[in-house]
Amino acid sequence: MQINFARQAYQSRSLPISAQRCVNLFAESMPDDAKVPLVLHGTPGLRLFATLGAGPIRGLHAKNGVLFAVSGNTAYAVDTTGTGFSKGVVGGSDRLIMADNGTQIVAVTTTGDGYIITDFTTVPIADSDFLPASSVAYLDGYFIFSHKDSGEFFISDISDGLSYDALEFAAAESAPDNLVAAFVDHRELWLFGKTSIEVWTNTGNATFPFERVTNAILERGCIAPASIAKEDNTVWWLGDDLVVYRGSGSGYAPTRVSTHAIEFALQGFSNVADAEGSFYTQEGHKFYVLKIPDEATFV
């Protein structure tokens, strides 16, 4: 009897049906005239690049080719040798979401505070019109924030993450859910709610520059804001139903990409809302990485 090697990670709830484990390997289809139709290749490992402060690493962001990192309460710029240079203090202790305009990096904490990190220093956003934020994105000169625990989003003054106007806000109103994240892809603003998603664009309106794209409403939400990532010309995220989706392009319909085995595994994790998504490319293959902290990582 011939027993085939596992070709994917697919562990059914009924193990006699499928109990495949493919750890740190990925399958690659071969040409028609190859000796075998499919082979397994190894994925990259890890090596130490830098040691920055006492940790934990709360966020990483690349600006103009320079890596910025926040370790504990300290922001660092990191050179190509892994040496970190302190750029000031960032409050809080949890994960950060960051975006930049080429000069300033805005870092948003889980408590809703905002900080500006530059090549020289770090300062809190002190403008009284800055609202508690749950995420930040950047588009066309504006920093865009989802207003924490609400369905609204607001923007900075153009080219200035330190300055705000109390009237520069709008609401995603197609559903009554709160926003969890603002995300930009292909110059479109994706507003992720707990049970719905809206897509907006910059129309240059003098009153408020962003308007909703006609019919760009997805009746699917996002349970883990940090799971949102973009690659392969679209956006990927972990849905409110514990299914991994990708946008389908101009039609905006969410397309399921996870398997039943992964979806069954996700139901067993208590901290799935903290899931983190990212991408890497290896030899032409695009990999979406979904990490559930202290539990598992699916690729």
Side-chain angles (χ1 to χ4, degrees), residues 55-116:
I57 301 299
R58 299 168 56 198
L60 300 171
H61 187 83
K63 179 178 73 69
N64 298 332
V66 177
L67 176 65
F68 286 79
V70 177
S71 173
N73 292 124
T74 305
Y76 294 90
V78 186
D79 67 14
T80 55
T81 68
T83 303
F85 300 89
S86 174
K87 300 299 176 181
V89 175
V90 177
S93 59
D94 294 328
R95 181 180 60 231
L96 300 169
I97 296 178
M98 295 188 280
D100 79 88
N101 62 3
T103 303
Q104 303 167 317
I105 298 173
V106 168
V108 170
T109 71
T110 56
T111 57
D113 297 322
Y115 290 82
I116 297 286

Side-chain angles (χ1 to χ4, degrees), residues 120-153:
F120 308 102
T121 189
T122 299
V123 295
I125 299 176
D127 192 308
S128 60
D129 290 329
F130 180 82
L131 302 171
S134 57
S135 71
V136 60
Y138 174 81
L139 178 60
D140 292 347
Y142 299 99
F143 287 109
I144 306 165
F145 303 82
S146 52
H147 183 187
K148 189 177 177 67
D149 299 324
S150 83
E152 299 175 345
F153 69 100

Side-chain angles (χ1 to χ4, degrees), residues 132-281:
S134 57
S135 71
V136 60
Y138 174 81
L139 178 60
D140 292 347
Y142 299 99
F143 287 109
I144 306 165
F145 303 82
S146 52
H147 183 187
K148 189 177 177 67
D149 299 324
S150 83
E152 299 175 345
F153 69 100
F154 64 97
I155 62 176
S156 69
D157 288 352
I158 195 162
S159 301
D160 189 0
L162 287 169
S163 183
Y164 296 83
D165 185 328
L167 300 179
E168 296 287 355
F169 75 96
E173 297 176 328
S174 64
D177 56 334
N178 288 338
L179 293 180
V180 298
F183 192 84
V184 170
D185 179 59
H186 286 82
R187 291 194 66 247
E188 291 183 322
L189 173 62
W190 287 57
L191 297 172
F192 285 83
K194 291 184 177 180
T195 60
S196 67
I197 302 167
E198 294 185 13
V199 182
W200 290 50
T201 189
N202 184 358
T203 63
N205 187 298
T207 303
F208 187 76
F210 295 95
E211 296 182 73
R212 191 171 67 198
V213 176
T214 303
N215 297 324
I217 300 172
L218 290 70
E219 295 185 351
R220 185 82 278 155
C222 177
I223 193 174
S227 71
I228 306 167
K230 62 180 180 180
E231 184 59 272
D232 199 25
N233 291 309
T234 191
V235 181
W236 299 55
W237 73 96
L238 179 60
D240 55 312
D241 56 353
L242 300 185
V243 173
V244 179
Y245 292 99
R246 61 176 288 169
S248 63
S250 59
Y252 300 110
T255 301
R256 173 178 173 264
V257 294
S258 53
T259 64
H260 291 305
I262 289 176
E263 292 151 9
F264 179 69
L266 290 173
Q267 294 180 35
F269 301 139
S270 60
N271 57 342
V272 71
D274 296 326
E276 303 171 2
S278 60
F279 266 97
Y280 72 90
T281 300

